Amino acid sequence: MATCNKRKAVFRHLPRAVAFLMVGAAALAAAQDRPESLLPPGFGQPSAPPSPRPTPRGTATPRVAPGTAPTPVAVPTPARTPADPVGALIESLSTPTPTPTPSPSATIDPHTLAEYELPASARRSLALVGPAGPREGALDQRVFAGADGRVAEALMRRLSAPLPSRWTSILLRRTLAAQMITPRGVNGADFAAERAWLLLRMGEAQVARAVVQSVDVGNYTPKLYQVGMNALLASSDPAGLCPLADGGAAATGLGGYRVAQGMCAALSGEAARGSAIVRQVRRQRIADDFDLKLAEKLMGSSAGGRRAVSLDWTGADRLTVWRFGLATATGLGVPPEYLSYAGPQVRGWLATSPAVAASDRASVIDQAASMGVLSNAALVDFYSALADDDQASRASGAIGNDLRNAYAANDEGQRLSAIRSLWGDGDRTPYGRLILTARAVARLPVVSSDGDSDRLVASMLSAGLDRSAARWRGAVKQGSDAWAMIELSDPDRQGQVGYSQVTAYGGNGDALKQRLFFAGMAGLGRLSQGDTERGAEALDVRIGQRNAWTQALDQAVADEQTGMVVLLCAIGMQTNDWRGVPPQALYRIVQALRSVGLDTDARMIAAEAIARA
């Protein structure tokens, strides 16, 4: 009974702890609290009312406040149109002969019509939403089971992305993309919108698109319509707006959906109607002329399009998701100077856009891999194809040739030389190049190479090749970065090590790396309690510190709420790079992930800290 009362007390204080956590997260990521619309001026606002015309009876058109972004609270769906009486559908059948005057067409209730368009057996429930399961690498459907969906939405909204950790980003993507049971307190469509909005900020445009499209159009809410437009444009798929255009215009009043109605009319062969809609939008001054010309360019490329539209970026003051989506879809491209001041997530969108030529994606592909958007296999495939691309630059072709030699040269010396060429001569090897060479390094025989061992091990672990890296244990120098990463990542390491192992690592004179190594080892349970306390005091790593974040994380672990644990771990990494992650936060993150069965992710994150700090 005492235990039960204590547990109730913990739950009673959890909202307060989460409230304090929200304040801290907002201070770290204030820009994400109310994210700006990614659409151009006017496109995120209700369109101006057209000239007065009769309004169909029984329809209600909710509006959203100008300039507002999706909110974490559920928005009621538009009111349903009452069904016509049955007699209205059968009275005309009683007339024995045709009459000179046509009978008025009866209005069919949309929900009745849906019975013929999508059978009940094919409809997807809002209780289970998402595109991927464990077979595709996502977490299981109970990832948010038992969690309060409103708290999860608040955490997602306040999370600043991209994250400094590639492996934390990958884990967060696997969580958000899961086909999951909708947590209590939220609408499944609204929860999908928040998931997709966070994925977009992480640079995961294609996954965000898959999430919004895992909800049937008939179940869309105003928030999901708003995020859906952003996701489809960020993934260079403006044609994907067509099933949403009419419903989105009615539910949100956004000018972007009004323009989408015109584009989709042209794409379906009704060029005249599409042009008329765009002319009306231009008269109402809903959007900039450059944005409407982009729409007209897409319409002109359709089968019924009769004129080509030429334009350049001199008429655009900045890059928006509307401009990104239509420019990439029509082959116009995005100038590098516009990418230079856009957020890093846009490089993730560009790297995965199927509408953009490989030669135009080469400049952002490594950064996208470092963010966790692309895997080692995807990176190798990209550069291999680029080597045979006539449009690729000489430098890109050289990378493809070096990559071929890294895998298939006659002897290991030549393969290692090709790997070094891919790494470059700089003081610090770009992390994207370590990812690129991961499997080529894993094919090398184990040799003693003090000069390259740190990069060789970091390269293998960037792709999760932990057992391949562990083979090098006897060939690396004790106390080096390579040795520390193997100690943290070895999946077959049994038991605990002594405190002398911690003091043996000097981090090449970097005190922060030594503290991160200790935090990783302690979080993974590889130090005894006594050695953990001893190291925490000696290195000033306050692993016992208690605050709202640690309390919420501990509660999520106790309740076995894996999704909340992942979100809270990401909240603990609200910084631009690894050197801003406090060692005590790393300790908590690794320990929490291990406690909910994500041991592999915990080991990879701990090793990544040494490689990138």
Side-chain angles (χ1 to χ4, degrees):
M1 191 67 175
T3 302
C4 182
N5 291 334
K6 185 181 294 185
R7 187 167 182 80
K8 288 181 179 178
V10 171
F11 275 105
R12 196 162 52 244
H13 293 293
L14 179 59
R16 183 181 303 173
V18 173
F20 285 122
L21 176 63
M22 293 300 96
V23 174
L28 290 165
Q32 299 295 340
D33 187 14
R34 296 182 59 84
E36 297 181 6
S37 173
L38 299 176
L39 298 174
F43 278 66
Q45 301 175 0
S47 56
S51 55
R53 61 181 63 186
T55 304
R57 64 175 179 84
T59 58
T61 307
R63 303 288 185 184
V64 294
T68 58
T71 57
V73 296
V75 184
T77 55
R80 297 184 178 182
T81 304
D84 290 297
V86 178
L89 300 177
I90 64 173
E91 279 178 351
S92 61
L93 299 179
S94 62
T95 306
T97 57
T99 59
T101 304
S103 301
S105 299
T107 302
I108 304 177
D109 173 46
H111 296 279
T112 303
L113 184 61
E115 294 285 347
Y116 298 93
E117 294 179 340
L118 190 65
S121 60
R123 295 177 196 162
R124 293 172 291 185
S125 170
L126 288 179
L128 187 67
V129 178
R135 292 182 62 182
E136 292 79 29
L139 300 189
D140 65 71
Q141 64 182 18
R142 296 186 57 81
V143 64
F144 279 100
D148 188 331
R150 294 164 296 184
V151 175
E153 283 188 344
L155 291 175
M156 285 189 275
R157 177 60 63 86
R158 285 162 173 76
L159 209 164
S160 179
L163 300 175
S165 167
R166 163 180 163 83
W167 281 105
T168 306
S169 296
I170 291 172
L171 176 58
L172 187 56
R173 180 187 67 215
R174 293 169 55 211
T175 302
L176 299 173
Q179 186 182 50
M180 67 179 69
I181 298 171
T182 301
R184 58 184 169 86
V186 294
N187 177 282
D190 284 338
F191 196 65
E194 291 292 351
R195 291 157 60 188
W197 185 250
L198 176 52
L199 285 164
L200 282 175
R201 303 199 308 272
M202 293 166 58
E204 300 279 1
Q206 303 301 326
V207 185
R209 171 174 170 265
V211 169
V212 300
Q213 290 184 332
S214 65
V215 177
D216 290 342
V217 175
N219 291 328
Y220 267 49
T221 60
K223 190 201 301 191
L224 187 54
Y225 274 119
Q226 210 170 353
V227 175
M229 175 180 285
N230 285 284
L232 290 162
L233 291 171
S235 57
S236 305
D237 185 20
L241 294 171
C242 294
L244 310 179
D246 293 340
T252 66
L254 297 179
Y257 274 120
R258 182 62 178 150
V259 179
Q261 288 177 312
M263 294 191 302
C264 295
L267 292 174
S268 61
E270 299 180 81
R273 185 169 76 89
S275 297
I277 292 174
V278 173
R279 283 197 300 271
Q280 184 184 47
V281 171
R282 180 175 272 115
R283 286 196 301 270
Q284 295 171 346
R285 297 184 179 181
I286 293 175
D288 290 347
D289 188 61
F290 179 79
D291 299 312
L292 292 178
K293 284 183 177 180
L294 280 172
E296 289 174 332
K297 184 174 180 65
L298 179 70
M299 295 162 63
S301 65
S302 64
R306 299 193 175 182
R307 68 188 184 95
V309 177
S310 59
L311 73 164
D312 57 55
W313 283 85
T314 55
D317 59 340
R318 60 194 174 100
L319 181 64
T320 64
V321 71
W322 180 271
R323 293 166 184 173
F324 176 89
L326 294 188
T328 53
T330 57
L332 179 63
V334 180
E337 58 268 24
Y338 283 80
L339 288 173
S340 64
Y341 63 80
Q345 58 265 42
V346 178
R347 293 163 178 78
W349 302 352
L350 185 64
T352 56
S353 173
V356 179
S359 55
D360 294 332
R361 289 184 280 142
S363 62
V364 299
I365 205 78
D366 286 354
Q367 185 176 355
S370 299
M371 291 162 51
V373 175
L374 294 176
S375 66
N376 160 263
L379 208 56
V380 170
D381 288 347
F382 175 84
Y383 279 112
S384 298
L386 203 62
D388 300 323
D389 190 342
D390 294 337
Q391 303 300 319
S393 65
R394 181 174 299 179
S396 298
I399 294 173
N401 291 331
D402 284 338
L403 188 61
R404 184 181 293 112
N405 290 331
Y407 274 93
N410 292 330
D411 60 71
E412 56 269 19
Q414 291 177 334
R415 300 207 302 269
L416 183 57
S417 177
I419 290 170
R420 287 171 177 155
S421 178
L422 289 168
W423 287 343
D425 300 325
D427 295 335
R428 191 175 182 89
T429 304
Y431 196 61
R433 291 303 172 87
L434 295 178
I435 299 169
L436 175 63
T437 58
R439 281 183 166 77
V441 169
R443 291 163 54 90
L444 291 173
V446 177
V447 293
S448 179
S449 179
D450 291 341
D452 293 317
S453 60
D454 292 347
R455 293 189 293 181
L456 290 169
V457 172
S459 179
M460 288 182 279
L461 293 177
S462 70
L465 304 176
D466 47 7
R467 284 192 167 85
S468 296
R471 293 189 303 118
W472 291 70
R473 178 183 293 276
V476 301
K477 181 181 178 181
Q478 185 173 5
S480 65
D481 282 356
W483 172 85
M485 286 184 280
I486 293 173
E487 285 293 321
L488 290 165
S489 63
D490 190 351
D492 300 319
R493 182 82 185 196
Q494 300 295 327
Q496 297 175 333
V497 300
Y499 182 68
S500 60
Q501 296 288 84
V502 174
T503 58
Y505 176 63
N508 295 322
D510 190 333
L512 175 61
K513 292 179 77 169
Q514 187 180 22
R515 296 169 73 211
L516 289 171
F517 174 66
F518 161 75
M521 292 290 284
L524 291 170
R526 297 189 174 176
L527 296 176
S528 67
Q529 183 176 351
D531 286 340
T532 298
E533 294 173 355
R534 179 182 176 188
E537 183 177 357
L539 298 172
D540 192 25
V541 179
R542 301 178 183 180
I543 60 175
Q545 187 178 43
R546 301 284 293 172
N547 52 39
W549 175 69
T550 62
Q551 291 173 21
L553 188 58
D554 290 345
Q555 187 63 60
V557 169
D559 294 337
E560 298 182 347
Q561 295 173 356
T562 305
M564 294 297 291
V565 169
V566 173
L567 285 177
L568 288 163
C569 287
I571 287 286
M573 289 193 173
Q574 301 294 273
T575 179
N576 293 327
D577 57 59
W578 262 106
R579 295 196 69 81
V581 178
Q584 55 266 29
L586 177 64
Y587 165 77
R588 289 283 186 174
I589 289 168
V590 170
Q591 184 185 54
L593 293 176
R594 217 174 116 255
S595 299
V596 293
L598 298 172
D599 181 75
T600 300
D601 302 272
R603 289 186 288 103
M604 292 301 103
I605 291 170
E608 183 187 0
I610 303 302
R612 303 186 71 180

